Amino acid sequence: MTNTTALIRNGIDTEQVYGTLDALKAQPELARFVFRAPNRWIDGPPSRSTIQGFWGAGQEDSSRDEPFEVDASEPPILFGHNEAPNPAEFVLHALAGCLTLTIVNVAAARKVTLTEVTSTLEGVLDARGATGLDDDYRNGFERVSVTFSIKGDAPREKLEEILERAKARSVVYDIVSNPVPVDVYAEVG
Amino acid sequence: MTNTTALIRNGIDTEQVYGTLDALKAQPELARFVFRAPNRWIDGPPSRSTIQGFWGAGQEDSSRDEPFEVDASEPPILFGHNEAPNPAEFVLHALAGCLTLTIVNVAAARKVTLTEVTSTLEGVLDARGATGLDDDYRNGFERVSVTFSIKGDAPREKLEEILERAKARSVVYDIVSNPVPVDVYAEVG
């Protein structure tokens, strides 16, 4: 007898998750993903990314009928006009979003129903680095702190385990915490 | 005699830039910035960051009358419903936006007028890492490639120098390429 009831917990279809994991075990080549962000400068600090397609699960994804258009800029103190959040803030947003959805996925797999996940992220930097005024300072964040509030129908210890597992499996936590090789090519003139 | 003409190049007020650099030299404590992303889980993969204030130039910034609300989610193949770009795509957006505005700032400082800056970013990952199926694969991007097209009123060599300088001074290029310590705290239950 097959259980055909879709089990949705925390907004995650856990049957779909287990089906996907089985498919990846059977055909590991499906696990390759290539995400993309085509970007175009507007004027001054602002630029716009037009995010739509990606490669995943053995094919070009076609689930997005329209692209997402996302801008980045700077506040006046950094020579922009607040047209959009700045790139450093988008790194914090990416980290918050990734840790949060990984917590939600892990909790669903462990049969924990969550009622609240909020976080505050802070990234600290000294602009003497990026401005080239003093090479004793790096360009990017010296450190990032993330403070979560997590509530659900499980004891404190289990919620803490879920957070630890999410840290251990988060895509963006890994990208920010560890080095990623970045190759930059250019066609100029 | 004071030159009061604002010199705007590539949408950057170069007088303001040099004034800011002079202020940072005189008072290095102004260089400390703390950026923030408060985030709240919605349901399933989606969450929302509400980005407004930050610390910089010796005070809490008050230039944004309204917060930016930015969501993150996943496509159906990753258990979401395309409510927004996913966190890995936001990392690419942050990197594209940062390299682009750094190129634009460097070009303005070097008296080069740009006519076009476009880029395509790709980040490759194997989901066997983040799903926990195979620890031979990391969770995040194995590598990122960035391909720029840069046009302006300078010879090829000068445009290539501008790109090299931007790589050497980009906040997000540093964050992605090099490790950033990330501390995660939690209030649970």
Side-chain angles (χ1 to χ4, degrees):
Chain A
M1 215 173 78
T2 306
N3 178 1
T4 56
T5 311
L7 180 54
I8 310 289
R9 185 179 278 114
N10 304 329
I12 301 292
D13 179 342
T14 53
E15 296 293 313
Q16 186 201 354
V17 172
Y18 287 116
T20 300
L21 293 178
D22 287 343
L24 291 183
K25 282 178 201 162
Q27 285 186 272
E29 67 274 18
L30 298 180
R32 181 183 165 83
F33 280 77
V34 183
F35 294 109
R36 305 186 196 109
N39 184 279
R40 176 176 288 276
W41 175 48
I42 299 172
D43 191 36
S47 68
R48 175 167 300 164
S49 295
T50 304
I51 295 169
Q52 184 167 15
F54 63 87
W55 179 268
Q59 61 187 337
E60 182 68 17
D61 183 81
S62 60
S63 67
R64 294 165 173 171
D65 292 333
E66 299 288 334
F68 298 111
E69 295 196 330
V70 192
D71 291 3
S73 184
E74 291 285 5
I77 185 75
L78 295 168
F79 321 125
H81 298 90
N82 276 330
E83 294 89 342
N86 82 359
E89 291 169 324
F90 273 114
V91 170
L92 298 177
H93 168 62
L95 181 58
C98 191
L99 282 168
T100 297
L101 69 84
T102 309
I103 288 167
V104 168
N105 277 318
V106 170
R110 296 184 181 193
K111 301 186 171 33
V112 172
T113 299
L114 299 173
T115 53
E116 182 185 302
V117 184
T118 59
S119 56
T120 299
L121 283 80
E122 291 198 343
V124 178
L125 63 81
D126 191 300
R128 281 175 284 181
T131 53
L133 287 176
D134 189 338
D135 283 336
D136 285 348
Y137 298 88
R138 66 181 291 177
N139 302 324
F141 290 138
E142 294 164 14
R143 57 189 165 76
V144 170
S145 67
V146 183
T147 307
F148 270 105
S149 173
I150 304 173
K151 295 181 183 169
D153 67 352
R156 168 186 296 267
E157 295 69 28
K158 188 149 189 177
L159 294 174
E160 285 173 347
E161 282 171 25
I162 289 168
L163 176 60
E164 283 308 304
R165 178 70 176 174
K167 274 176 60 181
R169 290 299 168 203
S170 160
V171 167
V172 179
Y173 181 85
D174 175 27
I175 291 170
V176 175
S177 300
N178 298 305
V180 176
V182 181
D183 295 312
V184 181
Y185 309 96
E187 297 165 17
V188 297
Chain B
M1 213 172 80
T2 306
N3 178 2
T4 55
T5 311
L7 177 54
I8 310 287
R9 183 179 280 114
N10 304 328
I12 302 292
D13 180 342
T14 53
E15 296 293 314
Q16 186 201 353
V17 173
Y18 287 117
T20 300
L21 292 177
D22 287 344
L24 290 182
K25 281 179 203 162
Q27 285 186 272
E29 68 274 17
L30 297 180
R32 181 183 165 84
F33 280 78
V34 183
F35 293 110
R36 303 185 198 113
N39 183 279
R40 177 176 287 275
W41 174 49
I42 300 172
D43 190 37
S47 69
R48 176 168 299 162
S49 296
T50 303
I51 296 170
Q52 184 167 15
F54 63 89
W55 179 268
Q59 61 186 339
E60 182 68 17
D61 183 81
S62 60
S63 67
R64 293 164 172 170
D65 292 332
E66 299 287 336
F68 298 110
E69 294 196 330
V70 192
D71 291 2
S73 185
E74 290 286 7
I77 186 73
L78 294 167
F79 321 126
H81 298 90
N82 276 330
E83 294 89 343
N86 82 0
E89 291 169 324
F90 273 114
V91 170
L92 298 178
H93 169 62
L95 180 58
C98 190
L99 282 168
T100 297
L101 69 84
T102 310
I103 288 166
V104 167
N105 277 320
V106 171
R110 296 184 181 192
K111 300 185 170 39
V112 171
T113 299
L114 299 173
T115 53
E116 181 186 302
V117 184
T118 61
S119 56
T120 299
L121 284 79
E122 291 197 342
V124 178
L125 64 80
D126 192 300
R128 281 175 284 181
T131 53
L133 288 176
D134 189 339
D135 281 337
D136 285 350
Y137 298 88
R138 67 182 289 177
N139 302 325
F141 291 138
E142 294 164 15
R143 57 190 165 74
V144 169
S145 67
V146 184
T147 307
F148 269 105
S149 173
I150 303 173
K151 295 179 182 171
D153 68 350
R156 166 186 298 266
E157 295 69 27
K158 189 150 189 177
L159 294 175
E160 284 172 348
E161 281 171 26
I162 289 168
L163 175 60
E164 283 308 305
R165 178 70 177 174
K167 274 175 61 179
R169 290 299 168 203
S170 161
V171 167
V172 179
Y173 181 85
D174 175 27
I175 291 171
V176 175
S177 301
N178 298 306
V180 176
V182 181
D183 295 313
V184 181
Y185 310 96
E187 297 165 17
V188 298

